[in-house]
Amino acid sequence: MVQVKDLHWKKDMRVSELVDSYENVGFQSVELHRASEVIVKMKKDSAKVFLTFTSNMVTSGLRGFFAQLIELGIADVLVTTVGGLEEDIMKATGEVFSIGTFNTDDVELHERGINRVGNLLIQNQSYMNFEDMITDILRKLHAKQKRWSVSEMLREIGLLLDDTNSILYQAAKHDVPLFCPAITDGAFGFHLYLFQQENPDFIVDVVQDFGNILLTTSYDDRKGVIALGGSISKHHAILATLLNGGAEYAVYMTTAHRTSGSMSGANTSEAKSWGKVKDESDIATVIGDVSITFPMAMTHALDELYEEGLLNIENK
């Protein structure tokens, strides 16, 4: 049985050394260390890795980290929500978001044309600029073909961007399928609707894309899931692995709790009852702010993969 050991700081301590020490600290630090080890195991076992995240993480500074992980070959399949894609496109075209506080006067923000996501602030003008750009993009897509699955459409948009910190750009460049099952749940969806009113032959097929995500793996593939946050992005990936035999590896990171009975709060152990992850799978659930927990666990995993010669960063 693992013994509790006291944590001690030392000069120039690396993130990996800190996360290693978490194995003996207790509480969520143990789960964070385990999450990192499960990520390493899924990569060493050549499992097909589903990385899911919600839009608020793209609002934050994790966007570039996700893009880097795609470039490094960590993710084989991506699933997210539409707000993150909108904001990925905004940032790819130079929009910047600000950091405020959680206690800002929201009525005052509204009067100033500013939207708040936690302690992050986005100008209305950024969405207006997005609207101008997305209409032009949809015209180009419509001219090329009339019917698109969501992932095919997102790949085409990624090819139009020129930003190495863009999730869409890196996914398209490295041929990593990017799924957004609720593509209409945001400004992007509203403009898809408006464009289709003028161009009824323009079809974005969500059902076809469900088939596409099922075909990204087979029943016999080993599968891993890294689910950051909850919502439809988490469920869509897990459902795909369930219909293909269940995942061998699963890491959930979230602030939601299992006591809510929601999909967002369901932990990796509960997933076994559904067959979403296999009975003998390696699992970890970390309760905490993903903007803190994920970079720590992932940095530890990247260091370990690099030291074992499993991560090529020379040309990155």
Side-chain angles (χ1 to χ4, degrees):
M1 183 173 291
V2 177
Q3 304 292 312
V4 173
K5 295 181 181 177
D6 290 335
L7 172 67
H8 293 284
W9 166 84
K10 68 177 184 180
K11 186 176 180 296
D12 298 326
M13 190 177 193
R14 298 173 59 204
V15 171
S16 290
E17 293 174 306
L18 177 64
V19 174
D20 269 335
S21 71
Y22 279 176
E23 183 180 16
N24 301 95
V25 172
F27 306 130
Q28 286 301 294
S29 62
V30 174
E31 282 297 302
L32 193 150
H33 177 269
R34 183 175 296 142
S36 182
E37 291 299 300
V38 173
I39 292 171
V40 171
K41 284 183 179 179
M42 66 176 76
K43 292 304 297 179
K44 290 174 72 172
D45 196 26
S46 300
K48 289 196 173 182
V49 177
F50 290 70
L51 173 62
T52 84
F53 48 87
T54 48
S55 65
N56 54 330
M57 298 170 198
V58 183
T59 315
S60 77
L62 290 184
R63 168 186 177 255
F65 192 44
F66 292 145
Q68 186 182 24
L69 294 179
I70 299 166
E71 188 179 19
L72 290 172
I74 297 300
D76 299 294
V77 183
L78 301 165
V79 190
T80 190
T81 50
V82 71
L85 301 178
E86 295 162 4
E87 293 171 7
D88 183 60
I89 294 169
M90 289 181 198
K91 290 182 177 180
T93 54
E95 298 290 344
V96 294
F97 301 170
S98 303
I99 298 176
T101 74
F102 289 97
N103 301 316
T104 306
D105 185 329
D106 290 291
V107 174
E108 180 184 342
L109 286 179
H110 183 64
E111 292 172 348
R112 293 168 55 197
I114 300 173
N115 307 284
R116 184 169 69 85
V117 180
N119 62 351
L120 306 181
L121 306 176
I122 310 171
Q123 300 276 349
N124 276 345
Q125 185 62 46
S126 296
Y127 284 99
M128 294 167 68
N129 295 339
F130 168 80
E131 291 170 8
D132 291 341
M133 186 176 58
I134 199 65
T135 302
D136 184 53
I137 288 174
L138 292 178
R139 288 196 190 99
K140 290 177 181 175
L141 296 179
H142 182 246
K144 190 169 184 176
Q145 66 186 56
K146 309 306 180 193
R147 190 180 193 94
W148 296 82
S149 69
V150 177
S151 59
E152 290 171 339
M153 178 184 68
L154 296 177
R155 181 178 185 279
E156 197 70 16
I157 293 173
L159 294 173
L160 297 173
L161 302 178
D162 184 20
D163 177 10
T164 56
N165 286 318
S166 164
I167 296 162
L168 281 158
Y169 170 85
Q170 291 291 359
K173 181 180 178 183
H174 295 279
D175 205 21
V176 175
L178 173 55
F179 296 95
C180 182
I183 190 69
T184 55
D185 188 32
F188 195 166
F190 180 61
H191 287 281
L192 282 173
Y193 169 75
L194 293 178
F195 189 81
Q196 193 179 58
Q197 296 308 298
E198 296 180 0
N199 304 276
D201 59 345
F202 184 71
I203 304 296
V204 178
D205 194 334
V206 176
V207 178
Q208 181 187 342
D209 227 26
F210 184 63
N212 290 339
I213 194 171
L214 293 180
L215 293 174
T216 59
T217 60
S218 72
Y219 196 88
D220 295 326
D221 284 327
R222 293 182 296 278
K223 295 168 280 291
V225 176
I226 305 171
L228 309 177
S231 86
I232 194 172
S233 53
K234 174 185 177 185
H235 187 254
H236 206 63
I238 297 169
L239 181 59
T241 60
L242 167 66
L243 296 177
N244 279 312
E248 280 79 5
Y249 305 94
V251 170
Y252 294 175
M253 292 185 165
T254 182
T255 52
H257 288 262
R258 61 182 178 176
T259 51
S260 68
S262 68
M263 178 60 206
S264 294
N267 60 18
T268 45
S269 180
E270 184 175 324
K272 288 186 176 181
S273 74
W274 293 84
K276 295 169 180 172
V277 299
K278 293 181 176 177
D279 294 347
E280 67 279 14
S281 59
D282 284 317
I283 57 175
T285 301
V286 182
I287 304 297
D289 187 330
V290 171
S291 70
I292 300 169
T293 58
F294 181 61
M296 295 182 72
M298 198 68 231
T299 296
H300 180 269
L302 291 173
D303 283 349
E304 191 164 332
L305 290 169
Y306 178 72
E307 288 168 5
E308 296 196 27
L310 299 173
L311 197 65
N312 180 13
I313 62 172
E314 304 307 322
N315 298 317
K316 304 299 181 185

